[in-house]
């Protein structure tokens, strides 16, 4: 086993040395998961529920430790990291109710009885990105385990520490060995093995659209079940009849949360032309007042980017001479810092307008009317998220129905809740996570006819 060093993105200092799992070690873990699944699926529903509740309680008891680990490993502000650890607990609690509710149907048929069962799939492979290591792990892990599957998770190479600790907490909570395993390492090694190993019956992948396309092709060879949560370039649409003060005050949080490294980032602000001047006048102080800096401090709102190479990619979208309307601040010195940046005006062909930047850069584009706003919002291969600001309820509903995207908020800047469905339209993904129907993605329906003939 080779090992590698994980860096703190706020200081560029080493945090820990982590084993990089090999292909052979991945195969061995999958084999262990396959054996463990036979017993796990047979655990009585109430007992499986109790174990998941114990797991949630264990996460809760170590929430501060997990949050501090995420601050060091990912550079997330500690307030955000605490919320993320709490999300793991809440998602486990929510799906702990599921084992006792995996209810089939009885269907009327002649000459007997027809019943359906929701059967677990077997071993589920989770491939997790670096931007939200804890929440995204939990979105796949909790419903997969609740449904009676075992899970092999591969965190992103750069951010494995919280997932590894959550793996230990599962054992401490009493989950049987090998029911939930975490394998740090490379996507090209561990991730590929999960995709190609025939005993892995489902992949849940969250990451870039480009890698998602490769994974989809790999899964096709075995008709392997697949959930894809991919990229985004979401619109924040502000109509002139909206509460412009609130729309401008919250717009920075809709895009610069997690330093813009957020698949749901509303990174294209579309403003009705008649309100543009007022909106920009209010947006400037809101952007300049974002507290960017030391992520260990409770009042910090934005931390660094994840790595030097990612910062270099983000910086390409703000070359010398770019139309920077205004910027916030960022610390000097060590750390992968990048200031919140607003680009305006931006033409529809510009890379900053079309590409997912995944950093704290937002474009502002004016529109004329409702039809124009919908056309601009849909002018992207992505469709993950978005917001609509208006005081006209009819318009809010019309535009929400017309924008081709999976998760929208009206007069609010956020739309992700673990008890409501989440996922993308178009190239932002396939399938839905979270909410009450997520169990459908981790079970197959079995249909059984039982004759009552003598
Ligand atoms: P990717 O480079 O796609 O990596 C995501 C995960 O896939 C990592 O664990 C990575 O491992 C692994 N991977 C890379 N190549 C692989 C391969 N050939 N086979 C199997 N696994 C492979 O994405 P990222 O840069 O970490 O994350 C940013 C992207 O994720 C953005 O596009 C963002 O929008 C998207 N994202 C989407 C969502 C939702 S919910 N839709 C949420 C968060 C992020 P390594 O660590 O070795 O690279």
């Amino acid at each position: 086993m080779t090992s590698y060093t994980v860096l703190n993105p706020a200081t560029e200092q080493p945090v820990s040395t982590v084993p990089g799992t090999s292909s052979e070690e991945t195969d061995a873990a999958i084999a262990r998961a396959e054996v463990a699944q036979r017993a796990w699926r047979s655990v009585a529903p109430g007992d499986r529920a109790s174990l998941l509740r114990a797991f949630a309680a264990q996460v809760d008891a170590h929430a501060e430790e997990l949050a501090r680990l995420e601050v060091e490993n990912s550079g997330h502000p500690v307030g955000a990291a605490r919320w993320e650890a709490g999300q793991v607990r809440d998602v486990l609690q929510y799906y702990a109710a599921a084992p006792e509710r995996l209810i089939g149907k009885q269907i009327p048929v002649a000459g007997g009885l027809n019943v359906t069962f929701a059967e677990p799939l077997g071993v589920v492979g989770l491939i997790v990105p670096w931007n939200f290591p804890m929440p995204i792990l939990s979105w796949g892990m909790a419903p997969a385990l609740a449904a009676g599957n075992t899970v092999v998770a591969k965190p992103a190479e750069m951010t494995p520490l919280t997932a590894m600790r959550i793996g230990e907490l599962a054992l401490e909570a009493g989950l049987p060995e090998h029911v939930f395993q975490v394998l740090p390492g490379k996507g090209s090694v561990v991730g590929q093995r999960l995709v190609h190993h025939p005993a892995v019956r489902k992949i849940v992948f969250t990451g870039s659209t480009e890698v998602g396309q490769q994974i989809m092709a790999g899964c096709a060879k075995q008709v392997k079940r697949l959930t894809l949560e991919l990229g985004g370039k979401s619109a924040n649409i502000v109509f002139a009849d909206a509460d412009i003060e609130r729309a401008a005050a919250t717009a920075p949080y809709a895009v610069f949360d997690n330093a813009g490294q957020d698949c749901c980032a509303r990174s294209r602000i579309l403003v009705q032309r008649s309100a543009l001047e007022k909106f920009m006048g209010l947006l400037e102080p809101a952007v300049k007042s974002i507290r960017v800096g030391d992520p260990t401090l409770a009042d910090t709102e934005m931390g660094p980017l994840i790595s030097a190479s990612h910062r270099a990619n983000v910086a390409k979208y703000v070359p010398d001479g770019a139309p920077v309307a205004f910027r916030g601040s960022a610390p000097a010195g060590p750390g992968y810092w990048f200031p919140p940046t607003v680009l305006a005006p931006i033409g529809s062909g510009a890379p900053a307008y079309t590409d997912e930047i995944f950093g704290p850069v937002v474009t502002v584009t004016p529109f004329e009317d409702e039809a124009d706003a919908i056309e601009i919002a849909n002018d992207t291969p992505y469709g993950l998220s978005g917001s609509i600001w208006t005081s006209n309820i009819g318009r809010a509903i019309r535009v929400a129905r017309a924008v081709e995207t999976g998760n929208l908020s009206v007069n609010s800047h956020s739309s992700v809740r673990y008890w409501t469905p989440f996922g993308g339209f178009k190239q932002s993904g396939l399938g839905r996570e979270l909410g009450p129907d997520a169990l459908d993605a981790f079970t197959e329906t079995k249909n059984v006819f039982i004759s009552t003939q003598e």
Side-chain angles (χ1 to χ4, degrees):
M1 188 178 288
T2 53
S3 57
Y4 67 97
T5 302
V6 169
L7 297 180
N8 179 331
T11 62
E12 304 182 32
Q13 293 303 307
V15 176
S16 182
T17 301
V18 174
T21 312
S22 69
S23 212
E24 295 71 29
E25 288 159 344
T26 307
D27 283 359
I30 294 168
R32 291 194 296 270
E34 206 181 357
V35 173
Q37 200 265 333
R38 289 177 211 135
W40 180 241
R41 65 171 294 165
S42 305
V43 172
D47 293 341
R48 207 154 68 220
S50 293
L51 285 165
L52 291 177
R53 281 194 285 270
F55 188 5
Q58 193 70 358
V59 168
D60 191 42
H62 293 81
E64 186 62 22
E65 177 197 342
L66 287 167
R68 292 283 165 190
L69 206 51
E70 202 66 280
V71 172
E72 273 201 295
N73 191 177
S74 303
H76 293 189
V78 66
R82 285 182 180 133
W83 178 88
E84 290 159 20
Q87 167 103 153
V88 178
R89 172 204 57 221
D90 293 345
V91 173
L92 278 165
Q93 281 279 16
Y94 181 74
Y95 288 108
E100 291 163 303
R101 291 169 175 76
L102 283 170
I103 295 164
K105 287 183 178 150
Q106 183 275 112
I107 302 166
V109 287
L113 179 68
N114 219 103
V115 288
T116 66
F117 297 89
E119 301 285 16
L121 304 175
V123 180
V124 171
L126 304 183
I127 303 176
V128 180
W130 49 259
N131 64 332
F132 287 112
M134 285 195 278
I136 291 174
L137 174 81
S138 70
W139 297 0
M141 171 188 77
L145 293 176
N149 304 284
T150 50
V151 170
V152 180
K154 191 209 92 65
E157 195 184 2
M158 286 185 285
T159 57
L161 299 185
T162 48
M164 291 167 72
R165 185 69 186 113
I166 289 168
E168 293 168 359
L169 294 176
L171 289 174
E172 290 167 20
L175 261 74
E177 273 205 312
H178 314 314
V179 162
F180 175 56
Q181 298 175 82
V182 178
L183 308 184
K186 288 184 185 298
S188 56
V189 179
V190 184
Q192 278 297 294
R193 239 5 244 149
L194 291 172
V195 170
H196 293 295
H197 197 298
V200 177
R201 297 291 166 76
K202 168 157 185 139
I203 294 289
V204 180
F205 172 79
T206 305
S208 60
T209 295
E210 197 187 352
V211 176
Q213 286 163 342
Q214 293 167 27
I215 287 180
M216 194 173 181
C219 286
K221 293 195 180 122
Q222 295 166 13
V223 195
K224 189 169 289 193
R225 275 99 187 105
L226 179 63
T227 298
L228 293 174
E229 296 284 6
L230 308 176
K233 188 74 181 174
S234 299
N236 187 358
I237 308 170
V238 183
F239 285 95
D241 65 9
D243 178 343
I244 302 293
E245 281 80 9
R246 241 179 91 211
T250 59
Y253 299 98
V255 58
F256 300 141
D257 181 44
N258 200 17
Q261 303 166 123
D262 181 347
C263 54
C264 288
R266 277 78 165 160
S267 54
R268 291 183 300 149
I269 302 177
L270 315 183
V271 188
Q272 195 156 20
R273 196 178 293 279
S274 55
L276 184 64
E277 201 180 323
K278 180 177 180 190
F279 180 85
M280 291 300 273
L282 292 163
L283 183 64
E284 182 167 357
V287 168
K288 290 186 169 167
S289 64
I290 296 173
R291 291 185 293 273
V292 184
D294 183 351
T296 64
L297 302 179
D299 66 348
T300 294
E301 294 179 307
M302 194 180 115
L305 293 170
I306 190 68
S307 66
S309 67
H310 186 53
R311 180 173 60 181
N313 279 338
V314 171
K316 281 188 200 143
Y317 291 95
V318 193
D320 289 345
V324 174
F326 39 83
R327 304 185 95 161
S329 62
Y336 310 122
W337 303 100
F338 199 89
T341 301
V342 178
L343 299 179
I346 280 282
S348 62
Y353 176 87
T354 53
D355 297 0
E356 182 186 41
I357 300 174
F358 224 53
V361 180
V362 68
T363 60
V364 182
T365 303
F367 67 85
E368 305 304 330
D369 55 21
E370 197 175 305
D372 195 26
I374 292 165
E375 192 176 325
I376 298 173
N378 287 339
D379 180 24
T380 169
Y382 296 115
L384 189 58
S385 187
S387 294
I388 299 158
W389 291 85
T390 176
S391 57
N392 179 330
I393 182 74
R395 167 177 288 152
I397 293 169
R398 278 195 308 275
V399 177
R401 296 296 304 270
V403 175
E404 297 166 339
T405 188
N407 312 275
L408 276 161
S409 53
V410 173
N411 296 332
S412 162
H413 68 285
S414 72
S415 51
V416 181
R417 288 170 186 81
Y418 61 81
W419 60 99
T420 62
F422 179 78
F425 278 34
K426 302 195 283 186
Q427 291 185 27
S428 284
L430 202 63
R432 289 292 175 274
E433 297 191 282
L434 303 178
D437 299 330
L439 271 286
D440 294 350
F442 294 101
T443 54
E444 279 293 5
T445 300
K446 182 175 286 167
N447 179 37
V448 179
F449 170 73
I450 305 155
S451 170
T452 52
Q453 302 298 312
E454 292 218 24

